[in-house]
C-alpha cells in the first residue's frame, strides 16, 4: 500500500530538551492512526511537524513521496493549506462569521470561496441547517463539526486532529468519532493525537510516545474485529 506520510529519523531539539528523539513513522493512505502518550511525551511536537507547522532539527518528512523537511516556512504553510486538513481542540472559529462563512475562509486561502461547496461540507457533518448560525449560537459539539467541515473543504490527503474531543461531552464525542469512522470508511487518511484511551481505541493503529520516543506501535485488534463483524453478512 502506498504511503501518504513518512517520518524518517526525526529529532526536534530545544536546547538540552529532545522533544522528539530519532523517531520514524509511516502512515499508509487510508489508514487511521492514533498518537497517544502522557503530557510531555512529544505528541504536540510530532503533530506540529506532521502538520507542517514546525520543522525538525534533523531527519526527513516525506509527504506522498516528496521530502518536505528542507522547505521554507512559506512553502510549508502553502503545503499544509493545500494538502492537510487540521482539526484542533480549541475550535479557532471566527466569532463574527457564521458556520458556512467559517468553512469558506479555508477555501479563500486555498482557491475561491464557494458557498455551495461549503454548505455541502456542513451537510456532510450534519450541520447544513445550522449554516447561518454564529459560533456563539452553536454548541461545542457543533463548533467542532464546523471545524471538521472546514478541514474537509479542500479535499486534503490527510486529516490531522489534535485532541478533537477534548472539549466535548460524551454525546458530542460520539458524534465526532462517528464522522471519523465514516471518513475512514471513505478512504481518508487520519492521524488523531489524543490522551483519551476511548478515542485512541477507535483507531486502526495506535502509536504510543514517551519522552520523545515511540515506545509502542501496534495494530488495534479491537478495530480489526469491528471491521470483520461489519463485513460479515
Amino acid at each position: 500500500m502506498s504511503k501518504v506520510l513518512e517520518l524518517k529519523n526525526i529529532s526536534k531539539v530545544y536546547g538540552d530538551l529532545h522533544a522528539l528523539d530519532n523517531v520514524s513513522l509511516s502512515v499508509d493512505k487510508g489508514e487511521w492512526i492514533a498518537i497517544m502518550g502522557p503530557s510531555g511525551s512529544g505528541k504536540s511536537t510530532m503533530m506540529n511537524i506532521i502538520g507542517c507547522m514546525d520543522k525538525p532539527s534533523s531527519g526527513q518528512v516525506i509527504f506522498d513521496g516528496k521530502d518536505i523537511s528542507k522547505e521554507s516556512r512559506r512553502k510549508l504553510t502553502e503545503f499544509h493549506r493545500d494538502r492537510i486538513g487540521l482539526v484542533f481542540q480549541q475550535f479557532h472559529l471566527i466569532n463574527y462569521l457564521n458556520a458556512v462563512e467559517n468553512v469558506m475562509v479555508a477555501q479563500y486561502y486555498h482557491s475561491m470561496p464557494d458557498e455551495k461547496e461549503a454548505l455541502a461540507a456542513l451537510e456532510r457533518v450534519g450541520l447544513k441547517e445550522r449554516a447561518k448560525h454564529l459560533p456563539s449560537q452553536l454548541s461545542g459539539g457543533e463548533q467542532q463539526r464546523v471545524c471538521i467541515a472546514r478541514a474537509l473543504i479542500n479535499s486534503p490527503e490527510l486529516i490531522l486532529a489534535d485532541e478533537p474531543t477534548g472539549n466535548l461531552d460524551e454525546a458530542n464525542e460520539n458524534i465526532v468519532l462517528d464522522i471519523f469512522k465514516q471518513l475512514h470508511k471513505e478512504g481518508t487518511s487520519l492521524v488523531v493525537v489524543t490522551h483519551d484511551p476511548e478515542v485512541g481505541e477507535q483507531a486502526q493503529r495506535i502509536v504510543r510516545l514517551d519522552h520523545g520516543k515511540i515506545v509502542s506501535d501496534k495494530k488495534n485488534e479491537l478495530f480489526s474485529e469491528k471491521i470483520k463483524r461489519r463485513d460479515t453478512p
Side-chain angles (χ1 to χ4, degrees):
M1 183 177 291
S2 59
K3 300 183 187 307
V4 68
L5 174 74
E6 291 180 86
L7 304 182
K8 292 188 175 182
N9 306 114
I10 291 293
S11 292
K12 183 66 178 180
V13 181
Y14 301 97
D16 294 330
L17 173 65
H18 285 69
L20 290 177
D21 188 0
N22 199 36
V23 167
S24 295
L25 175 74
S26 65
V27 181
D28 290 337
K29 288 186 177 179
E31 191 172 26
W32 180 357
I33 291 182
I35 297 176
M36 304 186 68
S39 179
S41 62
K43 300 192 306 297
S44 295
T45 303
M46 181 179 280
M47 186 204 75
N48 288 337
I49 289 173
I50 291 173
C52 301
M53 294 173 284
D54 200 0
K55 299 174 71 170
S57 302
S58 61
Q60 292 177 289
V61 181
I62 298 172
F63 200 101
D64 202 17
K66 179 182 180 180
D67 185 354
I68 62 170
S69 50
K70 301 297 189 293
E71 297 283 7
S72 67
R73 290 194 179 275
R74 183 179 66 81
K75 285 286 188 183
L76 287 177
T77 298
E78 292 174 357
F79 195 89
H80 95 237
R81 179 194 68 195
D82 295 341
R83 314 281 289 274
I84 300 170
L86 299 172
V87 179
F88 300 98
Q89 179 178 359
Q90 306 298 332
F91 310 127
H92 297 304
L93 298 175
I94 299 171
N95 58 17
Y96 56 84
L97 298 182
N98 63 33
V100 72
E101 289 167 341
N102 266 285
V103 175
M104 290 167 68
V105 166
Q107 290 179 305
Y108 175 80
Y109 288 110
H110 179 268
S111 52
M112 289 289 290
D114 184 319
E115 185 172 357
K116 185 180 291 187
E117 288 182 3
L119 285 169
L122 285 173
E123 184 172 23
R124 195 173 179 187
V125 298
L127 281 182
K128 187 175 182 180
E129 302 306 315
R130 308 284 279 170
K132 300 300 183 180
H133 287 66
L134 295 170
S136 61
Q137 298 170 314
L138 301 172
S139 70
E142 288 172 333
Q143 289 184 62
Q144 188 60 295
R145 285 150 67 191
V146 174
C147 293
I148 295 171
R150 182 180 61 191
L152 292 172
I153 191 63
N154 295 323
S155 302
E157 293 161 61
L158 175 70
I159 295 290
L160 176 61
D162 177 27
E163 300 286 2
T165 62
N167 287 331
L168 305 183
D169 59 26
E170 184 178 357
N172 281 300
E173 175 179 301
N174 288 333
I175 290 170
V176 168
L177 290 175
D178 284 343
I179 293 170
F180 284 171
K181 290 173 188 175
Q182 183 59 36
L183 290 172
H184 175 262
K185 190 176 179 181
E186 293 169 2
T188 302
S189 305
L190 294 161
V191 174
V192 178
V193 178
T194 182
H195 72 279
D196 187 337
E198 292 187 13
V199 174
E201 286 165 7
Q202 302 299 316
Q204 184 177 6
R205 184 172 140 218
I206 301 174
V207 176
R208 297 186 186 277
L209 288 173
D210 198 10
H211 292 92
K213 292 181 176 288
I214 292 177
V215 294
S216 175
D217 184 349
K218 295 180 178 179
K219 294 287 186 183
N220 183 1
E221 297 300 330
L222 291 175
F223 182 93
S224 301
E225 287 301 317
K226 289 175 186 175
I227 295 297
K228 285 179 185 176
R229 289 200 298 270
R230 189 186 73 193
D231 293 342
T232 300

